[in-house]
Amino acid sequence: VQLQASGGGLVQAGGSLRLSCAASGLRFTSYHMGWFRQAPGKEREFVARISRLSSSTDYEDSVKGRVTISRDNAKNTVYLQMNSLKPEDTAVYYCACAVDWLVVHRTPDYWGHGTLVTVSS
């Protein structure tokens, strides 16, 4: 299983970025997908999750209203649209997946490599 995240970069506060995560080596529609992030000196934290057929989504409180998770099952890709970015959103962002909705936001089955998002003030 490979989860390849991309789309990170440097953006000014208030700006937007869209992260992508391309999955391979798995049956994509069997997995719920999630995004996590790890800021410098902090533990990795949950950001958002989306169910197999996009019927359910869930967000960490600090990103609600600013972040949208989506997926395109035809492309085996999950996205994270981030708007109104703040310096505290600076982190390495990781995508992950799990077959169990109850654990995708806690202990996913698979992790991808991260992509760095830096928000300047």
Side-chain angles (χ1 to χ4, degrees):
V1 173
Q2 287 193 331
L3 302 173
Q4 185 63 52
S6 61
L10 175 64
V11 62
Q12 289 189 331
S16 298
L17 278 177
R18 188 177 82 154
L19 307 182
S20 300
C21 175
S24 60
L26 77 170
R27 185 172 181 174
F28 191 64
T29 52
S30 294
Y31 288 85
H32 307 291
M33 301 298 297
W35 284 96
F36 294 75
R37 66 185 179 186
Q38 186 167 19
K42 295 188 177 181
E43 293 187 351
R44 187 154 51 186
E45 65 175 0
F46 164 75
V47 176
R49 58 176 172 165
I50 186 167
S51 60
R52 295 184 187 98
L53 300 181
S54 305
S55 57
S56 296
T57 57
D58 185 27
Y59 298 92
E60 191 270 331
D61 286 345
S62 70
V63 304
K64 283 180 180 177
R66 301 188 296 119
V67 166
T68 302
I69 188 171
S70 63
R71 64 191 291 166
D72 185 337
N73 287 344
K75 296 182 178 179
N76 285 10
T77 301
V78 62
Y79 304 98
L80 191 70
Q81 177 67 45
M82 301 188 294
N83 302 322
S84 303
L85 282 162
K86 305 175 182 180
E88 50 264 44
D89 294 317
T90 294
V92 177
Y93 284 72
Y94 300 87
C95 63
C97 65
V99 295
D100 188 342
W101 176 251
L102 295 178
V103 306
V104 66
H105 61 310
R106 295 186 179 131
T107 54
D109 300 335
Y110 298 101
W111 291 93
H113 296 293
T115 185
L116 176 63
V117 172
T118 303
V119 184
S120 62
S121 56

